Amino acid sequence: MATITVHPELLLERILSLEIVRVTERAAVSAARLRGRGKEKDSDQAAVDAMRRELNKLPIDGTVVIGEGEIDEAPMLFIGEKVGNKSGPKVDIAVDPLEGTTLCAKNMPGAIATIAMAEAGTLLHAPDCYMDKIAIGPGYPKGTIDLDASAVDNIISLAKAKGVKPSEITAILLDRPRHADKIEAIRKLGASVSLISDGDVAGVIHCAEAKTGIDIYLGIGGAPEGVLSAAALRCIGGQMQTRLIIDTEELRERTKKMGIKDPKKKYEIEDMVKGDCLFSATGVTDGAMLRGVKFGKNMIETETVVMRSATGTVRRVVAEHRQLAKFHLG
Ligand code: VTB
């Protein structure tokens, strides 16, 4: 019988692609316990604690490159923190234990717990600042979108590539005053605007999910969220361009310290995620991408989407947690 040899690192990566599900599941359950309580900080902290605890059980030698903030402002999962039990490969980790803290505090749709993992040195070390972003789903010719072109020109180009009228395109943007001009221009063109109050990791991913009806993400959101969504698109396909918004001297210094030589660089997905990666997200509240955590009498149910770029495999894991329900663990 032929023996199948799998490179040990690859095997580990395959195992990790299931292990990281636990990490976001636990963070989501902990945050969801505080859903709708109006306490953003508490639910975020609960998610951070749980995610860190689970991460430290993994056979990895990990470094948080996108985390809760700099060491002086975030005691846990800060940028540079070492995580994992050190017995495995060196990896970069990007986390947003609770993406959409306000959504969770208000029990509104779309809060998720999310993480991306890749070989050490391959994830963009982005500071916690704003980032200009544009993204579309897979199947379009390269160059269909350009961050430096106007929203209108991008929608016209995308409509042409899709074979539809610009009025048949739906753009998703964060509902912020800074996007007023863009929104007006898109509507004037006749295209549809879908506004989200928070949660632009899912917003970008929606472009690659046909069921959402979203064609393009436009506008300014968080840089950490930008790297996380780039990791997801690296797995499922699509195009994305971004640029950091470095508008203060303090940020310029911080960016330099993080090793970013050109603060005005236009990033492609491959610049933000340079090699293969894993991405996982678990729903905290119900959303278009994932169902939120359900607390039953003897069981807690979670839904997770986990992606692996090496193969483009996307798994949806609906898990029933009985022990977690019994012991009321976070
Ligand atoms: C987005 C969104 C986040 O921050 O990145 C956004 O994904 C951007 O910042 O969920 P502003 O809220 O300052 O516009 C969040 O809404 C919260 O982190």
Coordinates of all heavy atoms in Angstrom, one line a residue, residues 96 98-103 130 133 174-176 178-179 196-202 217 220-226, ligand 1:
D96 N -9.0 39.9 16.5 CA -10.0 40.8 17.0 C -11.0 40.0 17.8 O -11.9 39.4 17.2 CB -10.6 41.5 15.8 CG -11.3 42.9 16.2 OD1 -11.5 43.0 17.5 OD2 -11.6 43.7 15.4
L98 N -13.3 40.5 19.8 CA -14.7 40.9 19.6 C -14.7 42.0 18.6 O -14.5 43.2 18.9 CB -15.3 41.4 20.9 CG -16.7 41.8 20.9 CD1 -17.6 40.7 20.3 CD2 -17.3 42.2 22.3
E99 N -14.9 41.7 17.3 CA -15.1 42.7 16.3 C -16.5 43.2 16.3 O -17.4 42.4 16.0 CB -14.6 42.0 14.9 CG -15.3 42.6 13.7 CD -14.9 44.0 13.3 OE1 -14.6 44.8 14.1 OE2 -15.0 44.3 12.1
G100 N -16.7 44.4 16.7 CA -18.0 44.9 16.8 C -18.5 44.9 18.3 O -19.5 44.4 18.6
T101 N -17.7 45.6 19.1 CA -18.0 45.6 20.6 C -19.4 46.3 20.8 O -20.1 45.9 21.6 CB -16.9 46.4 21.4 OG1 -16.6 47.6 20.7 CG2 -15.7 45.6 21.5
T102 N -19.6 47.4 20.0 CA -20.9 48.1 20.2 C -22.0 47.2 19.7 O -23.1 47.2 20.4 CB -20.9 49.4 19.3 OG1 -19.7 50.1 19.6 CG2 -22.1 50.2 19.6
L103 N -21.8 46.4 18.6 CA -22.9 45.5 18.2 C -23.2 44.5 19.3 O -24.4 44.2 19.5 CB -22.4 44.8 16.9 CG -22.1 45.6 15.7 CD1 -21.5 44.8 14.6 CD2 -23.3 46.4 15.2
Y130 N -6.5 54.2 11.1 CA -7.5 54.0 10.0 C -6.8 53.5 8.8 O -5.6 53.7 8.6 CB -8.2 55.3 9.8 CG -9.2 55.7 10.8 CD1 -9.1 56.8 11.6 CD2 -10.4 54.9 10.9 CE1 -10.1 57.1 12.6 CE2 -11.4 55.2 11.8 CZ -11.2 56.3 12.7 OH -12.2 56.6 13.6
K133 N -9.8 51.5 2.3 CA -9.9 50.1 1.7 C -10.9 50.1 0.5 O -11.9 50.8 0.5 CB -10.5 49.1 2.8 CG -9.9 49.3 4.1 CD -10.6 48.4 5.2 CE -10.2 48.7 6.6 NZ -10.9 47.9 7.6
L174 N -19.1 51.6 5.9 CA -19.4 52.0 7.2 C -20.2 53.2 7.3 O -19.9 54.2 6.5 CB -18.1 52.2 8.0 CG -17.4 50.9 8.5 CD1 -16.0 51.2 8.9 CD2 -18.1 50.2 9.7
D175 N -21.3 53.3 8.1 CA -22.1 54.5 8.2 C -21.4 55.5 9.0 O -21.6 55.6 10.2 CB -23.5 54.0 8.8 CG -24.5 55.1 8.7 OD1 -24.2 56.2 8.1 OD2 -25.6 54.9 9.2
R176 N -20.6 56.3 8.4 CA -19.9 57.4 9.1 C -19.9 58.7 8.3 O -19.9 58.7 7.0 CB -18.4 57.0 9.2 CG -18.1 55.7 10.0 CD -18.3 55.9 11.4 NE -17.9 54.7 12.2 CZ -18.6 53.6 12.4 NH1 -19.8 53.6 11.9 NH2 -18.1 52.6 13.1
R178 N -17.7 60.6 7.6 CA -16.5 60.7 6.6 C -16.8 60.1 5.3 O -16.1 60.4 4.3 CB -15.3 60.1 7.2 CG -15.4 58.6 7.5 CD -14.1 58.0 8.0 NE -14.2 56.6 8.4 CZ -14.4 56.1 9.6 NH1 -14.6 56.9 10.6 NH2 -14.5 54.8 9.8
H179 N -17.9 59.3 5.2 CA -18.2 58.7 3.9 C -19.4 59.4 3.1 O -19.8 58.9 2.1 CB -18.6 57.2 4.1 CG -17.4 56.4 4.6 ND1 -17.6 55.3 5.4 CD2 -16.1 56.6 4.3 CE1 -16.4 54.8 5.7 NE2 -15.5 55.6 5.0
I196 N -23.3 49.8 7.1 CA -23.2 49.0 8.4 C -22.7 50.0 9.5 O -21.9 50.9 9.2 CB -22.2 47.8 8.2 CG1 -20.9 48.2 7.4 CG2 -22.8 46.7 7.6 CD1 -19.8 47.2 7.4
S197 N -23.1 49.7 10.7 CA -22.7 50.6 11.8 C -21.3 50.3 12.3 O -20.6 51.1 12.8 CB -23.8 50.6 12.9 OG -23.8 49.3 13.5
D198 N -21.0 49.0 12.2 CA -19.7 48.5 12.6 C -19.4 47.2 11.9 O -20.3 46.7 11.2 CB -19.7 48.2 14.1 CG -19.7 49.4 15.0 OD1 -18.7 50.1 15.1 OD2 -20.8 49.7 15.5
G199 N -18.2 46.6 12.1 CA -18.0 45.3 11.6 C -17.6 45.2 10.2 O -18.2 44.6 9.4
D200 N -16.4 45.9 9.8 CA -16.1 45.8 8.4 C -15.2 44.6 8.0 O -14.9 44.5 6.8 CB -15.5 47.2 7.9 CG -14.2 47.5 8.4 OD1 -13.7 46.9 9.4 OD2 -13.5 48.4 7.8
V201 N -14.8 43.8 9.0 CA -14.2 42.5 8.5 C -15.2 41.7 7.8 O -15.0 41.3 6.6 CB -13.7 41.7 9.7 CG1 -13.2 40.3 9.3 CG2 -12.6 42.4 10.5
A202 N -16.4 41.6 8.4 CA -17.5 40.8 7.7 C -17.9 41.6 6.4 O -18.2 41.0 5.4 CB -18.7 40.7 8.6
Y217 N -16.7 46.7 -1.4 CA -16.6 47.4 -0.1 C -15.8 48.7 -0.4 O -14.8 48.6 -1.1 CB -15.8 46.5 0.9 CG -15.4 47.3 2.2 CD1 -16.2 47.2 3.3 CD2 -14.4 48.2 2.2 CE1 -16.0 48.0 4.4 CE2 -14.1 48.9 3.3 CZ -14.9 48.8 4.4 OH -14.6 49.6 5.6
I220 N -13.3 54.0 4.6 CA -12.2 54.0 5.7 C -12.7 53.2 6.9 O -13.8 53.5 7.5 CB -11.8 55.4 6.0 CG1 -11.2 56.1 4.8 CG2 -10.9 55.4 7.2 CD1 -11.0 57.6 4.9
G221 N -11.9 52.2 7.3 CA -12.2 51.5 8.5 C -10.9 51.3 9.3 O -9.9 51.9 9.0
G222 N -10.9 50.4 10.2 CA -9.7 50.2 11.0 C -8.6 49.4 10.3 O -9.0 48.5 9.5
A223 N -7.4 49.7 10.5 CA -6.3 48.9 9.8 C -6.2 47.5 10.3 O -6.0 46.6 9.5 CB -4.9 49.6 10.1
P224 N -6.3 47.2 11.6 CA -6.3 45.8 12.1 C -7.4 45.0 11.4 O -7.1 43.9 10.9 CB -6.6 45.9 13.6 CG -6.1 47.3 14.0 CD -6.5 48.2 12.8
E225 N -8.6 45.6 11.3 CA -9.7 44.9 10.6 C -9.3 44.6 9.1 O -9.8 43.7 8.5 CB -11.0 45.7 10.7 CG -11.6 45.7 12.1 CD -11.1 46.8 13.0 OE1 -10.1 47.5 12.6 OE2 -11.6 47.0 14.1
G226 N -8.6 45.6 8.6 CA -8.1 45.5 7.2 C -7.3 44.2 6.9 O -7.5 43.5 6.0
Ligands
VTB1 C1 -14.4 49.5 11.7 C2 -15.2 48.3 12.2 C3 -15.1 48.1 13.7 O1 -14.3 50.4 13.9 O2 -13.0 49.1 11.5 C4 -14.5 50.7 12.6 O3 -14.8 47.1 11.6 C5 -13.6 51.9 12.2 O4 -13.5 52.9 13.1 O5 -16.1 47.2 14.1 P1 -14.6 54.0 13.6 O6 -15.7 53.3 14.4 O7 -13.8 55.0 14.4 O8 -15.2 54.6 12.4 C6 -15.3 49.4 14.4 O9 -16.6 50.0 14.2 C7 -15.1 49.2 15.9 O10 -13.8 48.7 16.2

